Amino acid sequence: MSEENQAVANGADNQQAGPAFAIQRVYTKDVSFETPSSPAIFQKEWKPEVKLDLDTRSNKLAEDTYEVVLALTVTASLDEQVAFLAEVQQAGIFTVGNMPEPQLAHTLGSFCPNTLFPYAREVVSSLVARGTFPQLNLAPVNFDALFASYVQKRAADMQAAQEANSGTATDA
């Protein structure tokens, strides 16, 4: 029996050395809903152009603890008139430990926003319904692709800056 306890204890030590992830809290940080063209907008045929803007940010709260904020802005327009504008900042507090920097960046820039998106999507849907507009279900978002695009753009920008700096140093 003591050998089993020892094996369990060794297994627990091995797990602590590996990457750790936990959701501490998910919450709505900020909400705004505007209908600047009401009530006239309700008299028009409902065939809106819907635009979704996404942004994410994270900040370190403590050792291995981060707040990640997913900001969504949904704008629905009819004939260049804004029917409604919904803004949601969905946030979460996450424990992320024992991860190398690239994996930590991916977790905070992709995995956490992916976790927060269904909550933000529900808030937007609820706001639109309360504004008495037809139901709006946002399509899923591929945060992995967005993060990969961000990393590539950042690498290209850094390379361009280095080339510009080395070019000016050679010219001088």
Side-chain angles (χ1 to χ4, degrees):
M1 186 71 167
S2 65
E3 289 177 32
E4 290 176 358
N5 291 339
Q6 186 67 30
V8 169
N10 288 341
D13 289 344
N14 290 340
Q15 287 177 352
Q16 288 176 347
F21 179 84
I23 301 170
Q24 290 186 12
R25 183 174 301 250
V26 173
Y27 57 98
T28 303
K29 191 170 181 109
D30 189 21
V31 174
S32 173
F33 186 78
E34 302 170 27
T35 58
S37 301
S38 62
I41 203 75
F42 296 122
Q43 304 302 312
K44 295 184 176 191
E45 183 180 355
W46 187 247
K47 291 189 179 177
E49 177 184 321
V50 178
K51 180 182 171 196
L52 171 65
D53 291 316
L54 292 169
D55 189 29
T56 61
R57 65 182 185 277
S58 62
N59 58 343
K60 190 171 187 170
L61 302 176
E63 185 70 27
D64 297 340
T65 305
Y66 299 85
E67 177 191 49
V68 177
V69 179
L70 173 63
L72 276 73
T73 302
V74 181
T75 308
S77 302
L78 287 173
D79 304 326
E80 297 186 26
Q81 273 191 311
V82 175
F84 67 79
L85 175 71
E87 297 174 311
V88 176
Q89 289 186 14
Q90 192 68 44
I93 299 174
F94 301 91
T95 301
V96 184
N98 298 326
M99 285 190 191
E101 183 57 37
Q103 189 177 0
L104 175 64
H106 181 265
T107 299
L108 297 176
S110 176
F111 188 76
C112 292
N114 196 47
T115 301
L116 297 171
F117 185 74
Y119 295 95
R121 181 178 164 179
E122 189 278 326
V123 172
V124 168
S125 180
S126 177
L127 289 170
V128 169
R130 289 173 186 238
T132 71
F133 291 95
Q135 183 176 5
L136 175 68
N137 288 319
L138 297 175
V141 174
N142 186 341
F143 287 98
D144 285 331
L146 291 175
F147 182 74
S149 174
Y150 166 77
V151 169
Q152 287 176 343
K153 183 181 181 317
R154 189 168 174 203
D157 290 348
M158 289 176 71
Q159 184 177 1
Q162 286 175 348
E163 288 174 2
N165 288 338
S166 66
T168 55
T170 340
D171 293 342

